[in-house]
Structures are given as structure tokens and as C-alpha cells.
Amino acid sequence: MVLGDEGRRSETTQPAVRATRRQVGAWALSLGLGFAAQARAQGVAALDPLALQARVADPRVRRFYAQRGWMAAWSEGEAQGFLTALDGAVRHGLDGPAFRPAPARDPVQREIGLTAAALVYGEALAHGLVDPSKLGGLFTLERQRIDVALGLSQALAGGRVAEWLETLAPRDPEYQALSAEYVRLSGQVATWDGGALPTGAAISLGGQDYRVPMIAQRLFDMGYLSGPPMASQTLSRPISEAVSRLQTDNGMQATGSVGNTTIALLNSGPADRARQLVLNLERRRWLRREAPATRIDVNTAAAFYTYYHNGAVDWTARAVVGRAKRATPSLQSTFNQMVVNPPWNVPAKIAREEIFPQGPGYLRRQNMYVTEGRVVQRPGPGSALGLVKFDLRNTYAIYLHDTPSKQFFDRAARHRSHGCVRVENAVEFARHLAELYGVADRFEAVLATGETGVVSMGADIPVRLLYHTAFLDEAGAVAYRPDANGWDAKLARALGLDAPRPPPAVQEITTDPAAHLGP
């Protein structure tokens, strides 16, 4: 249908239809007079509001035009500006051509296509392509909430669509660094040889192996070894140190030796890393842009926590988090008190599956008793909660706490709890918070008694439990971690991407029940 046909048809409409046209015209006048005047000034083609209304099916597009009285929005200059802006989608790990509107048959279709494309792209930048609550599992992290349709309308009215799009994605230093790394790696995909290094026996410092020159070349290609690589088959100290850096960046023990897990990392080419960055850029677009200036962020993929005080990093240390079958959820909560010398009220499922089968002797050794069918572990240095619990407010029994099993903080793989977060140096961290919030004397007094007591902070401290398998380390370099929970693979499927390769097997396995004892 062309505009001329619509004009001829209006001359022969029935009275009821003409009345409807008058009502719509009055509505457009009341809601969109300002838009119409602005549109004429900006060179927007005049389109029949009824023709536009009849052709729009997408609810988001209908809401956009309803807000502006069904007035057309796109000038030629703004249309070209939007299409040019799509070239920047690569910086966000997005496929710009996929957002381009289909070729239009007529001006009405072109108008609608531009609006639909801009809304979809704007939503992708502002909120992400995937709704995390529909991926399965708990997700209570605070989301970014903005009205993209209203923002687009205002941007078009101001002649600044391209500038507005730039404001939608996160602009913090970490997002920018991951974005830059994605662009860099994407440029390497076409030239990557893709040859897989063969597996075999482990190679230690000074060891001889025919694969060493290939390993050195791959380390050089990945930026871990300054070159040119030598042809020697001896694993030299520079190569071993480069291997250690690779292992550290990927959450492994930095042994400097090359086993099959390290070979798997060396075989992860730029396409694998770029895909991992796409997933992590998407996760950050889900989040509210203004994180609380004072907060605790726990990266449950990398198993460490960071305390920010007034916007600056104040404390960081390792953590032990939930193993895959009892993964720590993506949760946001607060606490305003610390429980000192806490008992552990063992959840019924843990008691049934892991405590009772060990027999009465095990309960005695773990300082546990049964009351009204529930298992309780008495407070003390051997308690699974250690000496302090950061008492998060939520209905899921997820919180941060101390642990007597300090040895696990030295492990590269620290996914072994039942879902709660065990924090390294918990007592020292609690002391630090107590000093900041003016309750140090109260904390020390309760701690010294050995009895359970509560220390109120007098203020809420927000906590975010985040699953980021790519992030900036303390040196400001992009670091990667294996997909311990399988959540990268799930998100990749939702985005229509190839599933990431299975992560290297860096998780230590133990059959000792005490190794996993605790929330």
C-alpha cells in the first residue's frame, strides 16, 4: 500500500470511519503537536497517522508511536546516523548487521523498520539481549531500568540518536576494557592457525619434550612470552614463567609446568576468548549502572570478594563459593549486623544427606547435637561458620562467613561450599568493618567471650554475588576463569552462540565429608 492509495481511499470512507479519523487526528494533535512541529523543522516526512497505526504490530513500536501521537519520527539524517551507529555494535560483542532493518517497500514500512530496529538495539545496549531471570536459577541482582522507547523519542526530537545510543551501555572502566579486548581478539580470529597442541605427559622446568617449541610459539602468540621463541625442546625458565602467568590468569595453580589442563588453555584460541567476552559483556548490561559506592562484590566464578568504601577498593581477598550442584546464586542483598561466634543450624537436606549418614561419632567430633530433629553445630573455632557471620537479609539462607578450613583459600579451585560464601581473613575483615562503623569495642568484647552475640553496624552494607568469568584483575589486565557452574554454556545457547568448550578440569576432588562441611 502506497501513500497515494491511502489518500484516495480517505475520500470514499464511510461516515463512521471518517469520524474515527477525526478522533485520531484530534488525539494526534493533543499528544503530538509538538512532535509534529519539531518533525517538520527537522525534515521528517509527513506520514498518515492512521496508515502508520494500521501497519504497526510490535507492542514496543506501538507504544513508541502512541507516546508521540502517531507522528512520524525519522529524518533522513537521523536514519543515516542510526545505521552508522550500528557499526559500533562490535564494541559490545553484538552483531551490528543483525540489527539493521530489512529493506523497505514504502515510506511507512521504512519508518516502522527504523523504529523497531532502534528499539531492539537500544534494549540490547541498555538491558541486554537475554532476560537473566529466564535462564533458570535465582537472579535478584538489581537490573538496569530505563524507558528505551521514551528515550528514543526524545533523542529523535533532539536530533541526537547516535549520541543517545552511546549512553545506554555500561561505561565503567571494566566494561570498556572487556570491550577493547573483545575487539582486539576479534581481529585475530581470521589469522589464528587453530592447530591443537597435542596432549601428553606433564613437562616441568628443565624437562625435554618435542612439544616445547610449539608451546613456546603458542605462548608468544598469546602475548605471554616475548620472542622470538627458541627451537630448543627444553622447558626453560622464561617459558615456565610464561606458563605460570597463563595459569594465574586462568585461576590455576601457578606451577610453571605444562600438563594437559594447561595444554587445553593453550588450545583456547581468540575465538574462544572472544565468545567468553561476549557473554561477560552481556552480563554487565543486565546490571544497574550505578552500583552502591560502598558495597561488597563477590565474583563467584573467580571466587574472590572485594569491599568498596565510598567508591574505592578498600579490601580484597579470596573466597570459597558453591560447587556446581549447589552453586552460589546471582543474588543482591544487604546486612547491617555481624553474628560473632555463630552456631550453625544445619539445613535439613545437608543433615539428611551428609551428616546423619556419618553416624553419632561424627556428630560428636564436629561438636554437633540434635534438637527437635534439627542438627546444630555449637559455636567455636571448629564451627563450620568460623568466628563471624555476615548476616545477609534474604530468604535463601545465603550469607558470608568465616570457616575453620583455611587451607582451601590456597587452592586455585575454590568451588566447594553448599552455596554460601566463605571469606578469607574473615575475622580481620570483620574487625576492619567494625572500626569503620565505630563498633570495634563491641566486636572485640563479644569475640572474647566465645559466646554468640550480635554486633550491629548501624548501617546497611549492600552485597552483590556476581558470576563473571572474565574480569579485570588487580593489575588491570583481563583475566579469565573456567565456567565452573556451566552458566556460560547456558547463556551462549540463549544468545544463539556455539557453546564454549568444556572448562579445564582444575577442580580438586575429595571424598572427605569435612572438605565440604559448611553452608
Side-chain angles (χ1 to χ4, degrees), residues 195-420:
L197 303 182
T199 58
I203 315 168
S204 300
L205 178 63
Q208 297 277 329
D209 194 287
Y210 77 97
R211 296 171 294 165
V212 169
M214 293 184 283
I215 292 168
Q217 182 64 51
R218 185 59 54 85
L219 289 166
F220 175 77
D221 293 341
M222 296 174 73
Y224 285 96
L225 186 66
S226 56
M230 304 296 290
S232 171
Q233 296 189 4
T234 301
L235 190 72
S236 64
R237 185 165 299 279
I239 297 175
S240 179
E241 290 173 351
V243 169
S244 292
R245 289 192 293 273
L246 172 74
Q247 292 166 334
T248 298
D249 285 352
N250 289 274
M252 294 174 59
Q253 294 295 130
T255 64
S257 297
V258 181
N260 287 336
T261 298
T262 301
I263 291 292
L265 285 175
L266 291 168
N267 284 334
S268 296
D272 298 296
R273 287 305 191 212
R275 185 190 303 109
Q276 194 168 355
L277 289 167
V278 167
L279 304 177
N280 282 275
L281 290 168
E282 170 75 1
R283 285 195 178 99
R284 284 162 174 79
R285 290 192 292 269
W286 296 339
L287 302 177
R288 181 178 176 180
R289 303 297 183 256
E290 301 81 23
T294 295
R295 68 186 187 277
I296 298 172
D297 280 351
V298 182
N299 185 339
T300 61
F304 70 87
Y305 72 103
T306 303
Y307 172 62
Y308 296 85
H309 186 68
N310 293 332
V313 174
D314 185 69
W315 188 285
T316 187
R318 296 183 174 190
V320 171
V321 298
R323 56 193 189 271
K325 291 185 178 180
R326 297 182 183 272
T328 301
S330 297
L331 179 145
Q332 186 160 341
S333 186
T334 62
F335 71 95
N336 63 6
Q337 64 181 26
M338 299 182 291
V339 181
V340 185
N341 303 312
W344 179 32
N345 295 299
V346 182
K349 185 176 181 181
I350 297 176
R352 183 175 64 253
E353 295 180 357
E354 302 182 33
I355 304 299
F356 284 130
Q358 305 299 321
Y362 180 79
L363 269 72
R364 287 193 298 272
R365 291 193 299 274
Q366 297 295 332
N367 202 19
M368 293 176 170
Y369 64 95
V370 179
T371 175
E372 298 179 352
R374 296 183 299 109
V375 176
V376 178
Q377 188 177 41
R378 296 179 178 87
S383 166
L385 301 189
L387 297 178
V388 63
K389 169 186 173 183
F390 305 90
D391 202 14
L392 296 188
R393 296 190 192 99
N394 61 82
T395 59
Y396 311 105
I398 297 294
Y399 42 84
L400 281 58
H401 64 90
D402 186 22
T403 175
S405 303
K406 305 289 197 286
Q407 70 275 18
F408 292 122
F409 293 120
D410 294 328
R411 305 287 180 86
R414 299 189 296 277
H415 294 80
R416 58 178 65 251
S417 81
H418 285 91
C420 286

Side-chain angles (χ1 to χ4, degrees), residues 6 189 254 477 506:
E6 198 64 36
V189 171
V506 299

Side-chain angles (χ1 to χ4, degrees), residues 469-519:
T469 60
F471 57 94
L472 286 188
D473 64 16
E474 293 182 30
V478 176
Y480 301 89
R481 291 296 182 270
D483 181 22
N485 293 350
W487 293 353
D488 272 6
K490 186 176 291 187
L491 177 55
R493 288 192 293 270
L495 290 171
L497 302 176
D498 293 335
R501 297 186 189 191
V506 299
Q507 178 70 57
E508 298 93 341
I509 303 299
T510 177
T511 57
D512 178 9
H516 300 298
L517 186 62

Side-chain angles (χ1 to χ4, degrees), residues 101-164:
R105 298 188 304 271
D106 56 62
V108 173
Q109 185 184 24
R110 183 173 186 271
E111 169 79 19
I112 295 170
L114 284 166
T115 299
L119 289 174
V120 171
Y121 185 54
E123 288 283 354
L125 294 176
H127 306 136
L129 285 167
V130 173
D131 182 349
S133 66
K134 296 180 180 178
L135 290 175
L138 180 65
F139 189 97
T140 70
L141 293 165
E142 192 170 1
R143 300 285 310 279
Q144 175 74 343
R145 303 290 183 193
I146 65 170
D147 188 333
V148 172
L150 179 60
L152 175 61
S153 191
Q154 293 171 342
L156 284 164
R160 52 182 183 84
V161 168
E163 293 86 347
W164 169 74

